[in-house]
Amino acid sequence: KDLDPLLGPRGLPSPFKPPYGRITAIDLNKGEILWTSVNGDGPRDHPAIKHLNLPPMGAGGRAAPLVTRSLLFIGEGRQGGKWFRAFDKKTGKVVWETELPALSAAAPMTYMANGKQYLAIYAGGKPTPADIGIRPELKHYYQSSMFYVFGL
């Protein structure tokens, strides 16, 4: 039997205070937080809170990053939205983003071919019962299952 997701009041994704998904950059030499950024919009369109005009609340669940010398690439994960972003590693500012046709479903990867660097991300796949239990609208986000490749 699948486990029921931990839901908050009125079916919100968690009984805990947002953000539900956050990126935190830590200086490992000093143990200090350099910056934080909410990752994803979260349930801002939920009927219980959509009238509040809230800032991004973060998307919980399984977002996998790829870190390069100067950038951090990350999607919103299987329980988030379809956005895939590049953050400046030093400042945490979004320097590039694109909306994928489906949810990011795996960690991004990078490779070289003929002297040029590329970044690939898999989006799509079949939603799990837990995914749909948390956000029933996800069944509409899995319309394509493909690798998307971007030249850097």
Side-chain angles (χ1 to χ4, degrees), residues 14 20 62 113 138:
S14 168
Y20 301 119
R62 300 183 261 172
L138 288 181

Side-chain angles (χ1 to χ4, degrees), residues 37-117:
S37 179
V38 172
N39 188 30
D41 268 347
R44 295 188 319 163
D45 59 350
H46 189 283
I49 59 174
K50 69 180 176 182
H51 66 283
L52 297 176
N53 195 26
L54 296 170
M57 297 168 49
R62 300 183 261 172
L66 170 75
V67 180
T68 68
R69 186 176 302 176
S70 59
L71 298 171
L72 179 140
F73 292 94
I74 192 165
E76 294 180 12
R78 290 182 58 121
Q79 294 169 356
K82 298 189 271 184
W83 288 95
F84 185 64
R85 295 179 179 91
F87 290 82
D88 182 292
K89 254 179 35 175
K90 291 191 189 299
T91 66
K93 302 292 181 210
V94 174
V95 296
W96 175 83
E97 65 183 1
T98 189
E99 187 174 16
L100 299 171
L103 302 174
S104 59
M109 62 167 277
T110 184
Y111 64 94
M112 297 285 290
N114 299 320
K116 183 169 171 102
Q117 186 174 13

